[in-house]
Amino acid sequence: MALTSAQQDGPEHARSGQEHRTTTTEQGRFCVARCTCGWRGPARRARSQARTDAETHTAGG
């Protein structure tokens, strides 16, 4: 599932002109958002929160 945004918790914030493609992955009872830039969000129990993390990241937050 590709998303367009998430929360910054890793090496890079989204930058103008740089495409960030995020996905969410199930890990047991948790869901984690990841980006093609190497960013990885925190493990969340709520899938919706992992998606929000991804949205914040790609928005440059």
Side-chain angles (χ1 to χ4, degrees):
M1 168 188 237
L3 301 175
T4 56
S5 331
Q7 180 183 29
Q8 181 59 32
D9 191 34
E12 292 186 37
H13 285 281
R15 294 186 181 107
S16 297
Q18 180 181 11
E19 184 178 4
H20 287 254
R21 300 192 62 123
T22 58
T23 58
T24 56
T25 306
E26 300 280 330
Q27 294 182 340
R29 294 182 179 190
F30 296 91
C31 188
V32 177
R34 296 173 193 246
C35 183
T36 55
C37 75
W39 172 87
R40 179 185 177 276
R44 305 285 193 173
R45 284 193 179 264
R47 288 182 197 98
S48 61
Q49 186 60 53
R51 286 190 290 266
T52 299
D53 292 343
E55 290 168 6
T56 302
H57 171 70
T58 59

